[in-house]
Amino acid sequence: MNRNFPEESTIRQYLLGRLDEQEELETSLSLQILSDDKLAEIVDSIEDEIIEDYLDGTLSAADKNAADTYFLRSPERNEKVHFARLLRSHLEKKASSKSKAEIPVDPVPGFLPAGGGRVDYWRSHFRTYCEIAALIILTAVSIFYISTLQHRFESNQAQLKNELAKEREHSANLFAQLQQKHPETLNLPTFFGVNLRAKANDHKVKIGPTTKFIHVEVNVPSGFYDVRLESTPGSTTWFQARLGATSYGLVFDFPAQAAESGDNCLEVTQHQPNTPASEQFCFWADR
């Protein structure tokens, strides 16, 4: 025993609550145990010895009474006693099932227990087995906790995927409804006849925020035509050369952004001799 540490008998009396009348010594020893890890290990070892003696029934009447009334008031020590009793019962059953003879057991290769028999061997390693059991319990709890967290994560992930799928479906429905109200391509009423100037008010179109193109059909003879879009006379906002017309007329699309609010006119010029230079087909754009 280190000369700076109390005697084992003093520590034993401390653990059995017999230093109550020596308040200064009890307080000093308590503080020393808290501040010195080595002393704390020694105290734990003596505590294990008291538990073993208690279970063996080798405590004196006075010490047993002190253990029942003071020492075992600690929940941690009660747990130690309970575990030690279970461990003993398990070892006794295991030993009796194998053989009635006392055969020394060497649990660690190269280590033989000193001559106190199997009981002394298990008693001397009681603390080690407690730590191993605690490690096993901690490992099982950790595995269960990690499994629980993983299950929760997977459940939350599945829920987020479902919510995202619903949100996408909702967005698609909204977009479809918007497309119905404001399609990407608008159709202008068909312009019939050459040499007839169409008035803008006769052809109206409402351009929505999602409209990208305006579809135009002009009933003209087959051939090639230059088409120019003007919002005001002399102000060209879109132009396309040599558009081919078939027997069904001239069919084309132009960007909706090229049409300004109000009057807009399409000037159609044919690339053939002996025909009017150009014709205008006007419409009213409402944005």
Side-chain angles (χ1 to χ4, degrees), residues 168-238:
R168 286 175 177 172
E169 183 179 358
H170 180 65
S171 299
N173 290 336
L174 289 178
F175 183 77
Q177 294 175 11
L178 185 63
Q179 284 294 94
Q180 291 177 358
K181 294 181 179 179
H182 304 286
E184 288 190 356
T185 303
L186 288 176
N187 295 322
L188 271 175
T190 302
F191 293 102
F192 289 99
V194 182
N195 300 326
L196 295 176
R197 182 179 296 275
K199 295 182 180 179
N201 290 335
D202 293 337
H203 302 278
K204 295 182 179 181
V205 61
K206 182 171 180 59
I207 302 174
T210 62
T211 304
K212 295 182 179 180
F213 299 98
I214 296 178
H215 182 75
V216 181
E217 295 182 11
V218 182
N219 188 13
V220 294
S222 59
F224 292 95
Y225 296 84
D226 292 341
V227 180
R228 184 187 310 275
L229 176 65
E230 296 181 351
S231 57
T232 56
S235 175
T236 301
T237 57
W238 178 79

Side-chain angles (χ1 to χ4, degrees), residues 2-14:
N2 192 309
R3 63 182 181 179
N4 294 325
F5 294 156
E7 296 293 331
E8 287 189 7
S9 59
T10 302
I11 296 175
R12 191 178 181 92
Q13 297 302 313
Y14 167 80

Side-chain angles (χ1 to χ4, degrees), residues 263-277:
D263 286 336
N264 292 266
C265 289
L266 289 165
E267 185 177 280
V268 179
T269 304
Q270 188 176 25
H271 286 280
Q272 288 186 8
N274 303 321
T275 61

Side-chain angles (χ1 to χ4, degrees), residues 46-263:
I46 296 174
E47 185 177 279
D48 292 343
E49 291 178 4
I50 294 174
I51 291 174
E52 291 296 326
D53 292 339
Y54 180 84
L55 293 175
D56 289 341
T58 58
L59 289 176
S60 65
D63 285 351
K64 186 177 186 308
N65 181 62
D68 288 332
T69 58
Y70 180 82
F71 181 78
L72 293 179
R73 286 191 303 179
S74 166
E76 291 81 5
R77 292 170 186 159
N78 260 316
E79 283 294 325
K80 281 188 175 183
V81 171
H82 178 67
F83 177 77
R85 188 175 283 118
L86 291 177
L87 182 61
R88 284 186 171 205
S89 176
H90 172 72
L91 292 176
E92 289 172 0
K93 290 179 180 178
K94 187 174 181 180
S96 62
S97 66
K98 289 185 177 180
S99 173
K100 294 182 178 180
E102 286 290 327
I103 302 176
V105 180
D106 184 10
V108 181
F111 177 81
L112 292 175
R118 179 176 297 173
V119 175
D120 288 340
Y121 174 79
W122 290 119
R123 287 182 58 185
S124 65
H125 291 78
F126 169 73
R127 181 181 178 83
T128 301
Y129 295 130
C130 287
E131 292 175 348
I132 293 173
L135 180 60
I136 293 173
I137 294 173
L138 179 60
T139 302
V141 171
S142 300
I143 293 174
F144 176 76
Y145 179 69
I146 293 173
S147 176
T148 302
L149 287 181
Q150 184 178 8
H151 177 71
R152 290 179 180 176
F153 174 77
E154 291 175 353
S155 298
N156 291 337
Q157 193 175 35
Q159 184 177 359
L160 287 175
K161 286 183 178 179
N162 290 334
E163 292 179 357
L164 182 59
K166 291 180 180 179
E167 189 64 29
R168 286 175 177 172
E169 183 179 358
H170 180 65
S171 299
N173 290 336
L174 289 178
F175 183 77
Q177 294 175 11
L178 185 63
Q179 284 294 94
Q180 291 177 358
K181 294 181 179 179
H182 304 286
E184 288 190 356
T185 303
L186 288 176
N187 295 322
L188 271 175
T190 302
F191 293 102
F192 289 99
V194 182
N195 300 326
L196 295 176
R197 182 179 296 275
K199 295 182 180 179
N201 290 335
D202 293 337
H203 302 278
K204 295 182 179 181
V205 61
K206 182 171 180 59
I207 302 174
T210 62
T211 304
K212 295 182 179 180
F213 299 98
I214 296 178
H215 182 75
V216 181
E217 295 182 11
V218 182
N219 188 13
V220 294
S222 59
F224 292 95
Y225 296 84
D226 292 341
V227 180
R228 184 187 310 275
L229 176 65
E230 296 181 351
S231 57
T232 56
S235 175
T236 301
T237 57
W238 178 79
F239 174 78
Q240 185 66 49
R242 295 189 63 81
L243 289 176
T246 66
S247 58
Y248 297 100
L250 181 63
V251 179
F252 61 91
D253 295 340
F254 68 86
Q257 63 183 9
E260 299 183 1
S261 297
D263 286 336

